[in-house]
């Protein structure tokens, strides 16, 4: 079983004590791990901050120090859509995650025992706050742009809502202002599946005896929500496996695909961190930031531009939510573009449909 | 915990020994339970055979003998869309189910122990064959019409494919010629969730210690696939529960809704029966009935008419599959109507959107 670890090219930023969380807890000893590409100019004049989805580490792309492919290898690098010859790109492992940053799997300050469920309630606003504090440590005041896919788009919104003026441009990808009940239902069930695995032990599993069965099942449900029915019809149809299980195991290629995806995930992500981050996505809502009856996005009015990119086949963050985000940004006066892409890969398209996403991202960044 | 039982108004039909299954096994001692409404004329001249979805019993509607609401109470009865003043309506509990008919939970002939996983592989074709055998026992040769929603639509197709000419009219509702990989993925995961519950014990659970946790989780996943994102946005939005769980339990109304649905299901359906019927849905494919390179539906050419009714928001049996079924019926010469309804309740709409389904069903039956 893989154990989550900090990517080799990353560095650690220790935050000033304590981090005050959105729900009023004090979190001591917070550290965030980050990785960067390209040369930084000034206090962040050419810096693009990249917020991640739920499960990635800070390793968005390969580099000299770490030549392994990153989670957005096709998009970040010299000559790529997020061109590191021009931009200084910065990616943090989110607060609450398990690839070097502080989260439920990190040791509690003053001891070796992990926080586990004693970690305070995590909100997307806390991911934003920890990132803001880390940027302060690094001397980066205003970012050129923020890019955020999925949860990363929520983190980007939370960041701009809490720290107005801290970026000039925003690129939101396959994200939304809040989770709708279908997405909440899916994620709530994923969490319950993990918690129902007896090996979870109320969060007190050993690192070498994780609730692997629950995590496998939750990941399969994740894949059902991350891709699209149309993609699977085209890609797998009703093809049977070479050696279908004669009993109740997998017979169809779609089933072996899900099994392979689950195998890849299990052991690579801490179950408690997963539960915390997943719930944070449910709880986020820009409406929590409404002031004086204004649009909740009023704090984003200082943005010079924004682009909202989504996918027609996304069932987790449906396109109409993304169109609404674009409309609401425009309503507070931000010059906003909206792109509804015809990808068939659903919510995950930004990770795999490079042909559609590459030009849209490159074109937006070229103009800012 | 409820124990599945035979509805009070039902009768038992003992089939001649043995039933030869589609996969070549011999199943002895098969009995099917059925319920009926209305007066039968002749050998079935006015009989409508109603095949059920995965989980219902034979109790489709109330009657004098059993005044409790049936699973299709709004559709079956005097003056209702399936009008029992005119039609003799017959509904069987499917082979493989657990409400009186033979299935994995029934005692094996010659003993008290249930079949459990020694029950032979169940196919939709076997549901059709057992029903055909029961009709023979009852002296019903040609049916006036067959009505089948969901799995019931697949059973209706299997019935007509295996016994051409045994009905004059077909009404298929929210069903399809085969399962697509998205539906297979959902059901495969549901079965794996049940099998992963330690209480399942490889199918050898005691009746008073069923894998309730697995069944609850599987039912929640079922509800996610049976309804639609749009319905839940409209019905629940992001409303929180009156007493949200401060920990990792439910906080939103959508979560308490799913919990209530799961509570209602658990104990009411046998887990092994569930697994068998669920897999049968994945395995069914009209293409298994292709002969001489003809359309697989060639055997249905004798139908005088057919109607295919589906729902735009159905993610389990998407509308394009239902349009394809209608087109393919028309292609073999059957006078076929197609209705794509704008219900927002997804696959389950036929159970709840009486306003849309009632008139369409009544109108079709009035014309045949």
């Amino acid at each position: 079983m893989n154990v989550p670890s900090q990517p080799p090219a990353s560095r650690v930023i220790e935050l000033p004590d304590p981090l005050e969380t959105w729900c009023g807890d004090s979190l001591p000893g917070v550290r965030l791990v980050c990785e960067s590409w390209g040369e930084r100019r000034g206090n962040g004049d050419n810096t693009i901050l990249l917020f991640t989805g739920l499960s990635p580490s800070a390793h968005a792309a390969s580099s000299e120090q770490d030549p392994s492919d990153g989670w957005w290898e096709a998009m970040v690098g010299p000559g790529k859509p997020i061109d590191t010859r021009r931009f200084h790109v910065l990616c943090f492992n989110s607060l609450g995650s398990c690839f070097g940053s502080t989260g439920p799997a990190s040791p509690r300050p003053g001891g070796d025992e992990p926080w586990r469920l004693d970690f305070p309630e995590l909100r997307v606003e806390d991911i934003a706050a920890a990132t803001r504090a880390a940027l302060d440590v690094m001397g980066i005041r205003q970012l050129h742009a923020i890019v955020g896919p999925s949860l990363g788009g929520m983190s980007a919104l939370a960041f701009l809502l809490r720290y107005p003026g801290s970026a000039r441009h925003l690129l939101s990808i396959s994200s939304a202002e809040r989770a709708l009940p279908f997405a909440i239902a899916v994620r709530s069930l994923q969490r319950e599946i993990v918690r129902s695995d007896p090996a979870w032990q109320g969060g007190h599993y050993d690192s070498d005896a994780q609730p692997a069965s629950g995590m496998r099942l939750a990941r399969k449900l994740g894949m059902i929500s991350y891709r699209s029915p149309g993609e699977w019809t085209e890609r797998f149809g009703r093809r049977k496996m070479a050696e279908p299980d004669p009993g109740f195991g997998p017979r169809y290629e779609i089933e072996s695909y899900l099994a392979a995806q689950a195998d890849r995930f299990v052991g690579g992500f801490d179950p408690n961190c997963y539960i915390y981050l997943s719930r944070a996505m449910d709880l986020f809502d820009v409406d929590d930031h409404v002031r004086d009856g204004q649009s909740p996005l009023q704090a984003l009015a200082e943005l010079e531009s924004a682009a909202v990119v989504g996918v027609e086949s996304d069932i987790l963050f449906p396109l109409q939510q993304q169109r609404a985000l674009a409309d609401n940004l425009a309503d507070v006066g931000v010059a906003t573009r909206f792109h509804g892409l015809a990808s068939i890969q659903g919510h995950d398209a930004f990770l795999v449909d490079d042909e559609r996403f590459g030009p849209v991202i490159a074109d937006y960044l070229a103009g800012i």
Side-chain angles (χ1 to χ4, degrees), chain A:
Chain A
M1 190 176 273
N2 314 314
V3 172
S5 62
Q6 180 181 333
S10 62
R11 54 186 277 217
V12 175
I13 313 292
E14 308 275 358
L15 304 196
D17 263 349
L19 184 75
E20 302 291 345
T21 71
W22 187 248
C23 297
D25 290 293
S26 285
L27 192 55
V30 174
R31 40 180 273 168
L32 287 194
V33 144
C34 80
E35 202 162 329
S36 66
W37 301 262
E39 293 297 318
R40 168 176 158 190
R41 284 204 315 268
N43 292 335
D45 300 345
N46 70 329
T47 298
I48 290 182
L49 172 63
L50 176 55
F51 280 110
T52 77
L54 190 153
S55 58
S57 72
H59 188 56
S62 59
S63 60
E64 271 185 35
Q65 304 96 297
D66 182 356
S68 69
D69 275 1
W71 60 266
W72 226 12
E73 187 67 26
M75 293 297 150
V76 179
K80 293 186 178 171
I82 302 178
D83 191 343
T84 54
R85 294 173 308 193
R86 179 183 163 208
F87 295 117
H88 170 238
V89 178
L90 204 50
C91 182
F92 290 89
N93 183 224
S94 300
L95 181 73
S97 181
C98 54
F99 300 107
S101 292
T102 294
S106 323
R108 214 166 163 150
D112 288 336
E113 260 298 291
W115 279 100
R116 303 184 189 275
L117 304 196
D118 289 335
F119 197 77
E121 176 158 315
L122 179 76
R123 295 297 189 96
V124 176
E125 284 84 353
D126 301 316
I127 296 172
T131 305
R132 178 67 264 176
L135 292 172
D136 289 342
V137 171
M138 299 166 87
I140 294 178
R141 278 193 272 281
Q142 196 190 40
L143 299 150
H144 184 64
I146 303 182
V147 178
S150 189
L151 167 59
M154 290 177 157
S155 302
L157 289 177
F159 185 90
L160 291 165
L161 287 164
R162 297 195 73 176
Y163 312 106
S166 42
R168 289 188 289 275
H169 306 278
L170 167 67
L171 172 54
S172 169
I173 292 174
S174 298
S175 190
E177 297 168 285
R178 64 188 63 80
L180 292 181
F182 179 82
I184 293 175
V186 169
R187 282 192 293 262
S188 171
L189 180 54
Q190 289 178 293
R191 298 192 297 271
E192 189 178 356
I193 287 171
V194 173
R195 293 187 296 118
S196 298
D197 184 339
W200 185 61
Q201 299 200 48
H204 286 271
Y205 49 85
D206 287 333
S207 62
D208 58 352
Q210 298 201 359
S213 167
M215 287 294 279
R216 284 179 57 83
L217 296 167
R219 181 60 171 183
K220 288 184 178 185
L221 177 51
M223 294 309 298
I224 287 173
S225 69
Y226 296 156
R227 311 302 285 227
S228 86
E231 185 206 5
W232 288 351
T233 297
E234 197 169 285
R235 187 167 165 192
F236 302 110
R238 289 180 53 82
R239 275 199 311 276
K240 293 213 175 74
M241 294 160 61
E243 298 185 12
D245 188 287
F248 286 95
R251 297 189 180 193
Y252 292 98
E253 283 191 4
I254 179 63
E255 296 175 284
S256 58
Y257 163 80
L258 290 177
Q261 293 289 331
D263 288 342
R264 206 178 298 172
F265 187 68
V266 168
F269 206 86
D270 177 76
N272 287 340
C273 292
Y274 174 75
I275 285 173
Y276 270 83
L277 285 162
S278 162
R279 186 179 59 179
M281 289 181 81
D282 289 0
L283 297 174
F284 180 68
D285 189 342
V286 297
D287 286 346
D288 293 343
H289 297 263
V290 169
R291 285 187 203 169
D292 309 325
Q294 292 182 308
S295 160
L297 299 188
Q298 192 57 47
L300 277 65
E302 294 177 46
L303 282 171
E304 291 172 27
S305 82
V308 178
V309 185
V311 160
E312 288 171 5
S313 57
D314 191 336
I315 56 177
L316 208 55
F317 289 80
L319 201 60
Q320 69 267 28
Q321 278 201 289
Q322 309 195 46
R323 192 175 283 118
L325 170 59
D327 289 347
N328 293 339
L329 284 166
D331 282 349
V332 298
V334 180
T336 304
R337 318 180 178 188
F338 172 71
H339 299 271
L341 305 184
S343 306
I344 61 166
Q345 292 98 336
H347 183 64
D348 263 2
F350 69 91
L351 294 171
V352 288
D353 190 357
D354 306 332
E355 279 183 38
R356 283 201 177 77
F357 273 88
V360 168
I361 294 174
D363 186 56
Y364 175 62
L365 296 181
I368 64 171

